[in-house]
Amino acid sequence: MSIYEKLNEQQREAVFYTEGPLLVLAGAGSGKTRVLTHRIAYLIEEKGINPWNILAITFTNKAAGEMRERVDNIVGFGSESIWVSTFHSTCVRILRRHIDRLGYDTNFTIYDTDDQKTLMKDVCKYLKIDTKIYKERNLLAAISSAKNEMITPQEYRLQAEGDFHKQKIASVYEEYEKQLRANNALDFDDLLVKAVQLFQTQPDVLEYYQERFRYIMVDEYQDTNTVQFMLISILAAKYRNLCVVGDDDQSIYKFRGANIKNILNFEQVFEDAKVIKLEQNYRSTGNILNAANAVIRNNRGRKDKTLWTANGEGEKISFRQFDSAYDEAEYVVDDIREHVKQGECAYNDNAILYRTNAQSRMFEERFVTAGIPYKIVGGINFYARKEIKDLLAYLKTIDNGQDDLAVRRIINVPKRGIGLTSVNRVQEYAAAREIGFYDALRAVDLIPNIGRGASKMESFVALIEHFKAEAEQVRISELLEDIIEMTGYVEELKAEGDVEAEARMENIDELKNKIAAYEEACTQKGELPSLSDFLEEVALVADIDSLDENSDYVILMTLHSAKGLEFPHVYLTGMEDGIFPSYMTITSDDPEEVEEERRLCYVGITRAKQQLTLSCARRRMVRGETQYNKMSRFLKEIPMKLLSTGAVFEREDKEVKMQNTYRQAKQTFQTKAFSTKPVQQFKVSNGKGPGYDVGDRVRHMKFGEGLVTSITEGGRDYEVTVDFDTAGTKKMFAAFARLQKI
């Protein structure tokens, strides 16, 4: 039996169509890698094409390695001559031979990210650029974006005409390129740009590689940017035997420069192109695919295709709406535990997907208290993230100045100009006198040879002492806000203005949520929130090292990280407008932004093989405040007949709900229970009312003055809606809001 007989009709068509441009629209789970490898095998075995004439481009070294291995297994002899590589490694091989034509030496250096940063520092210093206004990272991002669009420094300057900010960037770009050339160095973007320039200016070199690569195949074509498209187009221009494989519905890397138009406009660039759709899915059940089809159909910028499967309908998609994000996390963890207990699956059959890394915190805490192993893919455990460790180190220092590690961590965060030499001298002084690092800092004027660092250290100590005094007067949430404001921590992150900085700010917002939840839990139990108790709670749930490293673990990841993977059971969480799609997307005027988010939702749904659970919460803490979110618009696009809606997850025993993660963590880790401190809290007793009525003017400590528009009785508390003069309309619980009638 021929290896090609195992392919379906469309797959065979794609394998056998070897001459001329070909676009293979490969839906999720439709076997595109199989098509690519069999196509290479067909070219060699049946068409007699010399392996030397074949170029296959993938996006990662891992994918290139897997493709070569699969081709080896099919073809065997001769496959080592095929070029299977990434865009960048293809270009490096070409440039190593011919870059002297562009005035560079062939032994050029490739600058990695750190090298680029160092060079940019030198450029800014030379041009006297204020790096507080023009962050080095932002300048590099602007240059990278220009190179991805094949915009030279000269063109960039012309485009910047009349825009002072852009003209500044143009000057930096020119100098940056000048210094790269002087160092005989290329950055990663240059590898592609210079290869295109080489082909554009050296016809004989182009001719050689066009003859060499008569058959070109490109995987994940929807993720290509403009310069990658140009490279492929030039190489394929002579023989036009170009096969690109991709799925426009899975184009989710716009923020990295991916241009979806490359795949959408393929037939306009190559007018005689053949288009083959791979619509049979081998991964998922019918119900899961019908849901994915129903969602993605709402996008306008796409090529029409409908996934189907011979796998059968399968189970209905579980949809669960919860009262709070806490309930959502609890349900998901309990559901996984129950399935594993029943022997229906292993832990690693389950994946929890979310829109942002910050959302992992709630699940992590629940897994730790339940003693279930988990692993975060493409991210770091919540309490191990730099910004969280930094802010917790501030709180630890305020609570207990004896924690030397915490003090040393933050002494120069954000940067205060305190160098390592000064820190070491303080450390030596402390060790010699057998006192703590912070105590030595308080006596910094007694330390010999401390020099200019002394005044900066005195300012740091004064700041910590201010916070210590404040900690006795205000709530932990207010203390954290003051730390952030007075140190300028978030301001520094905002100034960076990149995707990573955004994610870090989201994590800080999640820490605020954690503190607000802790304070609320204390209020409900009639206890006084204390900084020491809070830090102890965090230490318990952050102690993930107590779990044995086991290969069988639940996987947690963002939707972006999940692309290309599959799992028997997927939990797609946080399906609310404002979370997914994100608030920024909803408020932007660009409809393409919402389409990008919808593609991300499609990617999430199609990761599931057998079971899919979609969940959302009515209220969720965002930036330490309770937010009431509508159900995600993507959920509403799924037909009801595909969904199994269980009862809304609410506990009958209200007291159980109030038992927070902290209590459970204590039980898990067998720590001694804290003694309760009964104090008068801001409680509302039903029947007496909150002390103000609809129509009254009230004052909130953060939002200022406003008008009470509604008061709803809900269980043990009142839900109050206030139309604030400056902060807009907010819903809040009376006990927690502490509104004062004016």
Side-chain angles (χ1 to χ4, degrees):
M1 185 180 167
S2 156
I3 58 167
Y4 308 109
E5 284 174 33
K6 293 177 183 175
L7 304 174
N8 67 38
E9 191 185 331
Q10 285 75 27
Q11 288 175 331
R12 277 200 297 276
E13 193 182 359
V15 166
F16 298 158
Y17 190 89
T18 58
E19 308 304 306
L22 171 66
L23 168 62
V24 180
L25 288 170
S30 62
K32 67 177 176 73
T33 311
R34 177 185 267 198
V35 166
L36 277 170
T37 49
H38 280 68
R39 197 170 186 273
I40 294 171
Y42 182 76
L43 283 169
I44 297 169
E45 288 189 329
E46 306 297 326
K47 298 281 289 187
I49 304 298
N50 189 333
W52 200 72
N53 292 134
I54 300 170
L55 169 67
I57 293 181
T58 62
F59 263 77
T60 63
N61 289 316
K62 183 173 175 274
E66 284 172 3
M67 188 178 286
R68 182 176 289 285
E69 200 175 310
R70 283 176 120 175
V71 172
D72 278 349
N73 290 338
I74 300 172
V75 179
F77 181 74
S79 62
E80 65 279 353
S81 309
I82 306 165
W83 263 30
V84 184
S85 64
T86 63
F87 273 104
H88 288 97
S89 52
T90 299
C91 292
V92 169
R93 283 176 75 175
I94 293 168
L95 293 172
R96 285 281 181 225
R97 286 186 65 183
H98 306 285
I99 200 170
D100 53 336
R101 302 283 194 97
L102 298 177
Y104 288 80
D105 205 307
T106 51
N107 65 347
F108 58 86
T109 308
I110 301 169
Y111 275 9
D112 62 14
T113 312
D114 286 340
D115 298 328
Q116 284 179 270
K117 284 176 186 167
T118 308
L119 179 61
M120 185 52 77
K121 277 193 177 104
D122 294 344
V123 169
C124 290
K125 204 171 178 181
Y126 176 72
L127 294 175
K128 296 183 173 60
I129 298 285
D130 186 348
T131 50
K132 286 190 177 117
I133 301 170
Y134 299 92
K135 293 279 175 186
E136 290 146 4
R137 192 184 295 200
N138 293 358
L139 291 167
L140 283 167
I143 292 169
S144 177
S145 184
K147 287 183 178 182
N148 285 340
E149 293 297 319
M150 285 294 294
I151 300 167
T152 63
Q154 294 75 26
E155 287 166 338
Y156 195 94
R157 182 165 292 286
L158 287 170
Q159 290 177 14
E161 205 64 51
D163 185 328
F164 179 75
H165 182 75
K166 278 196 166 176
Q167 281 182 335
K168 265 282 192 244
I169 298 172
S171 302
V172 172
Y173 187 6
E174 285 165 354
E175 185 59 32
Y176 175 80
E177 284 298 284
K178 194 173 156 187
Q179 294 208 24
L180 271 176
R181 189 176 269 271
N183 296 342
N184 194 41
L186 303 180
D187 61 22
F188 280 117
D189 296 315
D190 279 333
L191 297 174
L192 295 158
V193 170
K194 299 299 174 195
V196 172
Q197 285 177 353
L198 180 73
F199 290 151
Q200 286 174 333
T201 57
Q202 308 299 319
D204 58 323
V205 175
L206 175 61
E207 171 83 13
Y208 172 80
Y209 284 102
Q210 284 179 337
E211 282 296 329
R212 168 87 199 256
F213 302 128
R214 295 187 182 195
Y215 293 87
I216 301 171
M217 275 159 273
V218 185
D219 194 11
E220 303 287 2
Y221 191 66
Q222 75 280 349
D223 296 333
T224 53
N225 59 27
T226 303
V227 66
Q228 287 164 339
F229 165 75
M230 288 179 76
L231 181 79
I232 294 298
S233 303
I234 292 171
L235 270 176
K238 185 171 183 181
Y239 287 98
R240 306 181 83 252
N241 297 327
L242 171 64
C243 167
V244 301
V245 181
D247 182 5
D248 51 309
D249 291 333
Q250 294 187 71
S251 177
I252 57 173
Y253 293 121
K254 189 181 173 184
F255 65 96
R256 288 190 197 162
N259 186 352
I260 193 172
K261 289 192 172 73
N262 290 350
I263 193 165
L264 292 179
N265 300 342
F266 187 81
E267 297 114 295
Q268 291 170 21
V269 178
F270 300 93
E271 290 175 4
D272 57 336
K274 186 171 179 67
V275 179
I276 297 171
K277 296 177 186 177
L278 303 184
E279 295 172 297
Q280 184 175 356
N281 175 288
Y282 293 90
R283 178 187 297 154
S284 310
T285 63
N287 280 328
I288 291 169
L289 294 182
N290 290 338
N293 289 330
V295 170
I296 202 66
R297 211 171 279 132
N298 292 278
N299 270 8
R300 290 189 163 193
R302 68 183 290 264
K303 292 186 177 289
D304 187 47
K305 57 185 165 305
T306 304
L307 293 182
W308 64 276
T309 185
N311 294 344
E313 290 292 287
E315 291 179 28
K316 281 193 173 183
I317 295 162
S318 297
F319 167 59
R320 299 289 183 271
Q321 185 175 20
F322 302 96
D323 191 41
S324 69
Y326 179 89
D327 292 340
E328 178 187 46
E330 191 149 41
Y331 171 83
V332 169
V333 173
D334 286 350
D335 197 48
I336 292 172
R337 180 167 51 194
E338 199 54 38
H339 279 109
V340 173
K341 195 175 164 186
Q342 299 295 332
E344 294 169 20
C345 62
Y347 285 125
N348 60 13
D349 289 331
N350 298 275
I352 300 171
L353 308 182
Y354 35 75
R355 179 65 184 84
T356 62
N357 266 313
Q359 288 167 257
S360 72
R361 195 264 305 174
M362 204 76 83
F363 296 104
E364 285 182 70
E365 290 187 0
R366 292 295 310 128
F367 280 127
V368 171
T369 57
I372 293 174
Y374 71 93
K375 183 179 182 181
I376 292 181
V377 177
I380 306 165
N381 290 334
F382 182 79
Y383 291 106
R385 291 169 193 165
K386 181 184 180 299
E387 55 282 4
I388 303 301
K389 289 186 85 163
D390 286 346
L391 292 173
L392 286 175
Y394 268 103
L395 292 174
K396 285 174 185 174
T397 303
I398 293 158
D399 184 54
N400 166 26
Q402 302 310 304
D403 188 340
D404 284 5
L405 279 178
V407 181
R408 280 163 56 194
R409 182 178 182 94
I410 58 166
I411 192 165
N412 202 36
V413 175
K415 288 188 172 57
R416 299 186 173 90
I418 300 171
L420 196 59
T421 310
S422 303
V423 170
N424 288 341
R425 281 191 181 132
V426 175
Q427 188 67 35
E428 285 161 13
Y429 181 84
R433 283 156 184 77
E434 295 184 346
I435 59 174
F437 185 82
Y438 186 72
D439 291 333
L441 278 179
R442 291 167 74 176
V444 71
D445 53 329
L446 302 173
I447 300 174
N449 305 320
I450 200 77
R452 287 184 299 175
S455 62
K456 290 163 183 171
M457 288 179 178
E458 281 169 355
S459 305
F460 171 73
V461 169
L463 187 69
I464 298 297
E465 291 300 317
H466 165 79
F467 290 143
K468 281 188 172 191
E470 191 179 28
E472 294 172 12
Q473 311 291 325
V474 302
R475 294 185 301 166
I476 308 165
S477 49
E478 292 165 316
L479 177 65
L480 183 69
E481 287 287 359
D482 277 358
I483 292 168
I484 288 167
E485 195 172 327
M486 290 183 75
T487 59
Y489 193 95
V490 168
E491 282 305 309
E492 194 168 88
L493 281 183
K494 278 182 182 168
E496 288 177 13
D498 60 3
V499 176
E500 199 179 317
E502 253 177 65
R504 288 189 169 182
M505 286 191 287
E506 283 166 357
N507 291 334
I508 293 169
D509 288 341
E510 188 55 37
L511 181 63
K512 292 177 186 175
N513 296 346
K514 170 70 185 168
I515 293 172
Y518 164 76
E519 289 174 337
E520 196 170 344
C522 286
T523 305
Q524 287 175 338
K525 290 183 297 196
E527 296 176 2
L528 184 68
S530 98
L531 183 56
S532 300
D533 284 0
F534 171 73
L535 289 168
E536 189 164 341
E537 175 175 332
V538 164
L540 286 175
V541 292
D543 185 17
I544 59 163
D545 296 336
S546 61
L547 293 171
D548 292 334
E549 186 56 44
N550 194 324
S551 59
D552 186 24
Y553 37 64
V554 180
I555 292 134
L556 286 81
M557 61 174 79
T558 64
L559 285 150
H560 281 101
S561 303
K563 188 167 173 281
L565 303 174
E566 56 182 46
F567 306 92
H569 195 165
V570 168
Y571 295 85
L572 195 45
T573 61
M575 297 286 287
E576 303 125 44
D577 269 11
I579 305 292
F580 185 38
S582 67
Y583 179 73
M584 293 230 345
T585 302
I586 295 168
T587 52
S588 80
D589 293 331
D590 187 358
E592 284 184 15
E593 293 292 327
V594 174
E595 295 213 345
E596 179 99 351
E597 289 280 289
R598 189 174 282 110
R599 289 195 288 272
L600 198 53
C601 181
Y602 173 83
V603 166
I605 293 171
T606 54
R607 297 313 92 198
K609 292 164 76 173
Q610 290 142 25
Q611 291 173 302
L612 175 64
T613 300
L614 306 171
S615 62
C616 62
R618 289 199 182 95
R619 57 188 171 91
R620 184 181 295 272
M621 270 196 190
V622 180
R623 291 178 284 282
E625 293 159 21
T626 301
Q627 241 186 37
Y628 294 82
N629 295 322
K630 289 191 296 188
M631 193 188 291
S632 171
R633 60 195 64 193
F634 304 147
L635 276 172
K636 294 173 185 172
E637 292 166 359
I638 298 172
M640 278 300 293
K641 65 180 183 187
L642 301 176
L643 300 174
S644 141
T645 54
V648 173
F649 186 68
E650 282 178 351
R651 297 170 175 274
E652 288 173 22
D653 182 1
K654 299 275 186 192
E655 292 303 317
V656 179
K657 189 170 180 179
M658 280 189 265
Q659 190 188 37
N660 67 348
T661 312
Y662 184 29
R663 288 257 174 103
Q664 294 172 30
K666 278 184 175 175
Q667 290 162 13
T668 306
F669 290 90
Q670 297 176 330
T671 56
K672 197 167 75 178
F674 293 111
S675 59
T676 56
K677 306 168 191 154
V679 294
Q680 185 57 43
Q681 287 293 324
F682 295 84
K683 263 193 172 173
V684 177
S685 170
N686 281 345
K688 294 180 183 175
Y692 42 81
D693 293 310
V694 174
D696 284 346
R697 297 276 298 170
V698 291
R699 183 181 289 111
H700 186 272
M701 61 195 305
K702 183 174 179 182
F703 303 128
E705 294 180 8
L707 183 74
V708 179
T709 55
S710 87
I711 300 175
T712 312
E713 195 173 322
R716 305 166 78 92
D717 201 353
Y718 291 90
E719 187 181 280
V720 184
T721 306
V722 184
D723 191 6
F724 289 103
D725 300 347
T726 53
T729 304
K730 305 278 181 188
K731 280 187 182 178
M732 52 198 79
F733 288 111
F736 208 55
R738 306 184 191 182
L739 296 167
Q740 291 178 324
K741 187 176 170 181
I742 50 177

